[in-house]
């Protein structure tokens, strides 16, 4: 069962806010990275019930953006209000989210955003100055599956 994006963000905040500066940008980028990698690793199964959107400043989940809006650029130290309620995250999914943190958690949100905005990414495929378009699961799956295969072949 997919989770709402704020549930995923709250997992990162609750478990890791004490281990580095957790900003709205970082939370959004971690949630997006988790979404993309989850599609690739779990054969197109979705982590969240909401698709990411290509905005001017990077990928975002609309509901998560509105949960974070009040923070501006301030550090987040406690869970976000979640109107839908935080679902219980399965232990396998917690392990997966911990792996995402282990890889990307040491980076600032702005670095993660620049990394995600490279020209060959699914975000760049979806981005348009005319509006906020959904980043397709097919493009995300393909992008992260290729990254996974590249990493496996270099080992």
């Amino acid at each position: 069962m997919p989770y709402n994006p704020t549930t995923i963000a709250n997992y990162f905040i609750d478990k890791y806010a004490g281990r580095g500066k957790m900003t709205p940008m970082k939370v959004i980028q971690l949630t997006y990275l988790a979404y993309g990698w989850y599609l690739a690793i779990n054969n197109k199964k979705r982590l969240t019930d909401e698709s990411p959107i290509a905005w001017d400043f990077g990928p975002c989940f609309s509901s998560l953006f509105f949960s974070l809006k009040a923070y501006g650029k301030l550090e987040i130290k406690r869970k976000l209000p979640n109107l839908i309620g935080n679902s219980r995250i399965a232990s396998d999914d917690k392990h997966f989210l911990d792996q995402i943190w282990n890889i990307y958690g040491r980076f600032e949100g702005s670095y993660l955003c620049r990394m995600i905005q490279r020209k060959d990414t699914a975000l760049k495929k979806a981005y348009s100055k005319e509006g906020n378009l959904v980043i397709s699961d097919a493009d995300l799956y393909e992008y992260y599956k290729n990254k996974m295969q590249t990493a496996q072949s270099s080992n």
Side-chain angles (χ1 to χ4, degrees):
M1 175 174 118
Y3 310 98
N4 71 59
T6 304
T7 296
I8 300 303
N10 276 336
Y11 180 81
F12 288 124
I13 293 164
D14 192 43
K15 187 159 184 186
Y16 296 109
R19 297 188 193 176
K21 190 173 181 183
M22 194 69 78
T23 62
M25 183 178 285
K26 184 170 184 169
V27 170
I28 290 168
Q29 304 315 313
L30 287 170
T31 304
Y32 174 78
L33 287 161
Y35 184 88
W37 278 111
Y38 199 85
L39 284 169
I41 292 168
N42 293 290
N43 198 28
K44 301 182 184 177
K45 183 178 172 191
R46 295 174 61 144
L47 179 64
T48 69
D49 58 5
E50 184 180 329
S51 296
I53 296 176
W55 286 7
D56 288 342
F57 299 105
C60 196
F61 296 87
S62 296
S63 65
L64 179 55
F65 173 79
F66 290 109
S67 295
L68 288 163
K69 193 174 181 178
Y71 283 91
K73 294 182 181 182
L74 298 174
E75 186 173 358
I76 303 164
K77 296 183 180 187
R78 64 179 75 91
K79 284 184 177 183
L80 304 169
N82 190 346
L83 298 175
I84 298 169
N86 291 311
S87 305
R88 185 170 170 261
I89 298 176
S91 60
D92 288 351
D93 293 339
K94 286 180 181 180
H95 178 73
F96 166 78
L97 295 172
D98 292 337
Q99 296 297 63
I100 294 296
W101 176 264
N102 291 338
I103 296 166
Y104 299 107
R106 68 182 177 270
F107 300 113
E108 296 288 325
S110 57
Y111 175 83
L112 294 173
C113 194
R114 284 191 306 275
M115 180 183 71
I116 290 166
Q117 290 182 339
R118 290 187 201 136
K119 62 182 161 189
D120 64 335
T121 64
L123 170 71
K124 284 298 184 183
K125 263 184 153 176
Y127 180 74
S128 168
K129 292 237 184 240
E130 284 79 46
N132 301 322
L133 301 176
V134 170
I135 303 168
S136 86
D137 285 354
D139 288 343
L140 279 162
Y141 172 81
E142 181 182 323
Y143 178 77
Y144 285 101
K145 195 70 168 178
N146 287 339
K147 283 184 72 76
M148 191 167 54
Q149 290 169 345
T150 301
Q152 289 170 344
S153 67
S154 66
N155 286 335

